[in-house]
Amino acid sequence: MNIQSLLKQAQKMQAEIGKAEKALKERKYCALVNNGVVQVECNGAYEVTKVEIDGTLLTAENKELLEDMILMGVNEAVKKAVSEREEVMNQLTGGVKLPGAF
C-alpha cells in the first residue's frame, strides 16, 4: 500500500467522522428519573436542552429531592450521549483512537 492510498483513506475517514459528529450533535438523549417525574434531554454536544418536572414535586419540602433528581437526569442523559458517540466513533475508526477526532 502506498502513501497516496493511505492519505486518501485518511481523508475519507476524516470526512466520515465529520458527518457522524454533525449527526450526533443533532441527536437528542432523554433520561427519565423516578418513572418520569423528572425528564432531562440533552443533545450530542452535551448541552441540556430541556428539563420537565412533574408539578407535584414543586414544594419546599421536595427541594433537595428535586435537585437530586435533576442531577441524576442530567448525568444519565449526558452518559447516553457520550456512550453513543464512543460507539459510533469506534465503528468508524475500527477502535483506533485518533487524536482530536473525539
Side-chain angles (χ1 to χ4, degrees):
M1 190 176 282
N2 63 26
I3 299 288
Q4 280 294 54
S5 177
L6 285 174
L7 193 55
K8 284 186 180 201
Q9 283 182 328
Q11 289 172 336
K12 181 181 177 189
M13 184 182 292
Q14 186 177 23
E16 289 174 4
I17 288 171
K19 287 178 191 175
E21 285 182 334
K22 184 175 187 251
L24 285 168
K25 285 181 181 179
E26 294 172 359
R27 295 273 324 256
K28 301 290 182 192
Y29 303 89
C30 187
L32 305 176
V33 180
N34 202 19
N35 295 318
V37 293
V38 172
Q39 298 179 38
V40 178
E41 182 180 280
C42 79
N43 61 25
Y46 315 126
E47 301 166 331
V48 175
T49 56
K50 183 166 85 172
V51 175
E52 288 185 12
I53 301 166
D54 186 298
T56 61
L57 288 176
L58 300 176
T59 65
E61 300 85 39
N62 288 337
K63 181 183 181 296
E64 191 173 319
L65 175 66
L66 182 56
E67 290 169 344
D68 289 344
M69 284 192 219
I70 292 170
L71 191 60
M72 286 189 297
V74 168
N75 288 335
E76 182 62 27
V78 170
K79 184 177 169 182
K80 287 179 180 182
V82 168
S83 177
E84 183 170 357
R85 179 184 192 87
E86 287 176 354
E87 184 179 319
V88 168
M89 291 303 162
N90 280 335
Q91 289 174 356
L92 286 173
T93 65
V96 175
K97 302 288 183 190
L98 301 175
F102 49 96

